[in-house]
Amino acid sequence: MNGNEGQTMLAAGVDVGSLAAKAAIVEVGSGCVIASACLPSGARPADSGADALKEALRLADLKLEAIEAIVATGYGRESLAVAQSSVTEITCAARGAHLLDPDVRTVVDIGGQDSKAISVDSEGFPLDFALNDRCAAGTGRFLEVMAHALGTDVAGLERLALSSEHPAPITRTCTVFAESEVVGLLSRGVEPADVAAGLCRAVGARTAALVRQVSVRPKVMLIGGVGMNRAIADALEEQLGVDLIVPEEPQVVVATGAALVAAERLRATAPIG
Ligand code: ADP
């Protein structure tokens, strides 16, 4: 795959997630991000991953031949035929967060169906991690179900939550029971905004408990699709008692980390001139 001779060497990372596929393209020498893309995952994760990569290539006005190495990560990482190798999301989250801020020591990743807390060293390598992948509670899927119960989507749930002054306590963590609780609160006349704010607080509290399983060492960065919800970031900040860094595009940090791993592997085999 060397259609890029005489030009900057490029590497790509593809994060085949449970609910969204993400791709990022980086310059091998500098680690600079050239383009990234995010698409909803369809029934075939491999196709969604390939489509996300095509979209990133289109945005960068590049052809696949211009990419020297591709690393896959995420839930469906083994299915992506175009990738030469795969790496865990833990490593990629750590690499991606380190690129954005080398002072990050704790990464919190709230995705579609799981959440993770990762302790990171000064070189951007994972030291320890805690994972919630047993149930949807506190994940993007949880928020999607709750948004539906509130008659809105995840962006609408965030807007509602940010407008509340009296968050309603949500006591159930299980998605099914919490949904019944939400329906019950609404039928008793509790404001949707207060229910939405209570849900964001509940996700914040649940995530904070996960983060405490590793150490809460600043700087702390929030990534993953749910990182786009400011009400959840605020709740998590309050629970942890630290300021959070939320990157502009939290959902593509893991794909960026995968691209960096691809770039590191290329650098290890072919010195950059
Ligand atoms: P995965 O890698 O598991 O597919 P992602 O990190 O891509 O997960 O995150 C996907 C999740 O992000 C989805 O559940 C989606 O609903 C959620 N999400 C997207 N935008 C927002 C938002 N504005 N607020 C909260 N959640 C969001």
Side-chain angles (χ1 to χ4, degrees), residues 194-216:
D194 296 338
V195 175
L199 287 163
C200 292
R201 284 200 169 182
V203 173
R206 193 173 168 88
T207 309
L210 184 76
V211 182
R212 287 191 204 100
Q213 288 177 30
V214 301
S215 48
V216 188

Side-chain angles (χ1 to χ4, degrees), residues 15 17-20 22 109-113 140-141 143-144 154-155 158 224-226 228-229 251:
D15 175 7
S18 60
L19 294 188
K22 287 78 63 179
D109 181 357
I110 315 181
Q113 289 185 0
R141 183 77 193 122
L143 287 168
E144 288 176 17
V154 284
E158 178 196 14
V226 177
M228 286 187 277
N229 183 316
Q251 204 168 4

